[in-house]
Amino acid sequence: MNRDNTPPPVLPAELPPDAPRGFMARFRNYFLTGLVVAGPIAITFYLTWWFVTWVDGLVRPFVPIAYRPETYLPFGLPGSGLIVAVIALTLLGFLTANLIGRTLVDLGEKLLGRIPAVRAIYRGLKQVFETLFSGQGSSFRRVGLVEFPSPGMWSIVLISQAPSEEVANNLPGQEEHISVFLPCAPNPTTGFFFYVPRSKIIEVDMSAEDAATLIMSCGVVQPGSDGQKKVAALAGMAEAARVANSGTLQPEAAKVE
């Protein structure tokens, strides 16, 4: 109230300071919202398509022409090679489970074991596949932090198994060591493998999938973040811009009338 008891003038409602204005601001928000929604879907479909065509290219030459779908269809059928590969691997596992298949596999392993160069590669790959796909054990299923590459700097590692007796006996100190794999960003398939004392590892309550996502995104996507919330936030900003611009245009429209 003023001194003459006149009420203060009513000011128009001010827009939030963070509300973007103008056509370009709305265009930017809409574009970012569409990019956040369509980007992951497009990349997922692209990687799936690449994998399917890659498997088709490997399997199709082994399939007789009479059994290929394109022989009877006017177009190729993507994924036919992948279906054949899945069926073939399932049959191979079924045959290996019985006595005859087990005997044949043992015979093949003995033949490969007599080749010096191939023996080490085959045994190493077999142990890796048995560990990763057996569904047992905890290799690369636990995530930890290790002080690397210098004191005060911490890196995410995937915890593997304890070293063998031969390696453990040659490691310095009396403390138990553990083997870890430190993936590199943004390609987690490459990295460093080393042994570290168990007390130097800080185990983190995080899944291996979340750790891989964190590494591939170089820290942009943090564990526990919800992508849908980000999309909703961008959509909210776009809606706020639309409302703000429509609100500023209403007085002008009233004047014209």
Side-chain angles (χ1 to χ4, degrees):
M1 300 291 290
N2 297 331
R3 293 181 178 179
D4 55 356
N5 297 328
T6 58
V10 179
L11 299 177
E14 297 182 358
L15 296 175
D18 295 336
R21 301 180 181 182
F23 172 78
M24 293 304 299
R26 287 187 296 166
F27 177 82
R28 173 181 176 275
N29 290 329
Y30 289 144
F31 174 78
L32 291 178
T33 303
L35 182 63
V36 171
V37 173
I41 298 176
I43 295 176
T44 301
F45 273 102
Y46 172 76
L47 294 177
T48 304
W49 180 264
W50 171 83
F51 177 75
V52 170
T53 53
W54 176 70
V55 175
D56 286 347
L58 292 178
V59 177
R60 191 167 296 171
F62 299 97
V63 180
I65 299 179
Y67 295 100
R68 298 180 185 178
E70 57 267 20
T71 305
Y72 308 98
L73 298 176
F75 55 86
L77 187 62
S80 58
L82 179 62
I83 296 175
V84 173
V86 171
I87 295 175
L89 291 175
T90 304
L91 291 176
L92 179 61
F94 172 75
L95 295 175
T96 306
N98 57 49
L99 180 60
I100 299 177
R102 181 75 266 177
T103 304
L104 294 177
V105 171
D106 292 340
L107 179 61
E109 290 181 349
K110 290 180 180 179
L111 293 176
L112 292 175
R114 295 182 179 180
I115 306 176
V118 179
R119 176 176 56 197
I121 299 176
Y122 173 75
R123 290 180 177 177
L125 291 176
K126 181 182 178 182
Q127 292 178 357
V128 170
F129 273 75
E130 288 179 348
T131 302
L132 294 178
F133 297 102
S134 63
Q136 301 175 355
S138 59
S139 294
F140 296 155
R141 291 182 174 87
R142 295 181 297 161
V143 181
L145 293 173
V146 173
E147 202 169 12
F148 181 88
S150 62
M153 302 177 64
W154 296 86
S155 300
I156 293 180
V157 295
L158 300 178
I159 302 174
S160 185
Q161 300 290 338
S164 62
E165 185 178 355
E166 294 79 5
V167 176
N169 292 334
N170 290 277
L171 291 174
Q174 302 296 326
E175 187 176 355
E176 181 184 2
H177 288 70
I178 195 76
S179 57
V180 298
F181 175 70
L182 191 154
C184 289
N187 182 11
T189 59
T190 62
F192 302 93
F193 172 80
F194 50 87
Y195 296 102
V196 62
R198 185 178 292 273
S199 61
K200 301 296 183 180
I201 302 176
I202 301 177
E203 193 164 347
V204 182
D205 186 14
M206 181 191 304
S207 64
E209 292 78 8
D210 290 341
T213 302
L214 178 62
I215 294 170
M216 286 188 293
S217 65
C218 297
V220 175
V221 179
Q222 296 292 330
S225 61
D226 192 352
Q228 295 299 328
K229 292 181 180 179
K230 295 181 179 180
V231 175
L234 288 175
M237 292 176 61
E239 181 64 17
R242 185 187 67 81
V243 173
N245 283 274
S246 63
T248 54
L249 293 176
Q250 286 179 358
E252 296 181 0
K255 292 179 181 179
V256 173
E257 292 178 357

